Amino acid sequence: LWSKRFGNQFHQEAWGAAIDSTGRAIAAITSYGPFVVAGASSDGGGTSNSSSVLALDVARDVVWSRTWTGVQITSIALDASDRVLVTGQFGGAVDFGGGLLTSAGRTDLFVVVLDSGGGHRWSKRFGGTGRSAAMAIAPDGGGNVLLAGMSDDSFDFGGATLVSALDPDRFSPSSDVFVAKLDAGGNH
């Protein structure tokens, strides 16, 4: 029915898409270099990821977009209220709109919830001193958030500590998978 191209001479990847109840398309894009979406630019400088979530109306016009530097989005989903659930990984510090979040390790996973107009509802980070990343996100009918991902270090979501197994060949933690369910406010 329609298509629209986003990109430039740098490398870009799409990491998710969904359709809300009004027919708007919501998409997640990661760029490995400077990138402009709907007038908002980010400069990943070729060394840092920048990621955007954008909403296109039925005429394919960008209604809203949010862009963050140092972030790799790996999954998006919509809940029954058209809230946009976003997850992935980041290193360093990033402000998704609710205050600065600083990673504890090489990368931490993040969860961001935006309202249907792209406004920040809440954001949280989780991770240990190694690498943690969420690879999938999904809502349930009660507004809770389900995450699945990987980590090579011990960390917790606010409940019991998840401990990564020891790789006997490397004598260091291996990457293990996790599944976690958070409430509608991002709490364990």
Side-chain angles (χ1 to χ4, degrees):
L1 297 172
W2 61 267
S3 59
K4 186 159 184 161
R5 179 191 171 278
F6 294 92
N8 58 24
Q9 73 273 24
F10 298 99
H11 182 82
Q12 286 88 34
E13 299 170 344
W15 284 92
I19 303 291
D20 74 8
S21 64
T22 68
R24 290 184 304 178
I26 312 296
I29 300 167
T30 294
S31 180
Y32 301 91
F35 190 63
V36 177
V37 175
S41 67
S42 65
D43 182 2
T47 60
S48 180
N49 305 336
S50 61
S51 288
S52 301
V53 175
L54 56 102
L56 302 168
D57 63 18
V58 294
R60 299 181 308 274
D61 296 321
V62 176
V63 178
W64 59 261
S65 67
R66 301 295 174 263
T67 300
W68 306 285
T69 299
V71 169
Q72 182 179 14
I73 294 172
T74 55
S75 184
I76 64 169
L78 300 176
D79 70 8
S81 300
D82 286 339
R83 292 184 318 158
V84 182
L85 314 176
V86 184
T87 196
Q89 64 183 353
F90 76 101
V94 63
D95 186 348
F96 292 104
L100 195 64
L101 300 177
T102 303
S103 63
R106 289 188 349 221
T107 62
D108 283 2
L109 70 97
F110 67 85
V111 179
V112 177
V113 176
L114 305 173
D115 64 28
S116 62
H120 180 269
R121 297 291 301 253
W122 59 265
S123 52
K124 294 203 174 184
R125 59 143 292 276
F126 302 97
T129 58
R131 180 173 176 253
S132 300
M135 307 308 283
I137 192 166
D140 71 6
N144 300 310
V145 178
L146 183 69
L147 295 171
M150 58 74 60
S151 180
D152 65 5
D153 196 12
S154 300
F155 74 101
D156 71 68
F157 286 96
T161 299
L162 304 176
V163 179
S164 185
L166 184 66
D167 181 340
D169 296 326
R170 296 184 323 163
F171 300 102
S172 63
S174 60
S175 292
D176 294 336
V177 298
F178 65 81
V179 178
K181 188 172 184 179
L182 307 176
D183 69 16
N187 302 303
H188 186 268

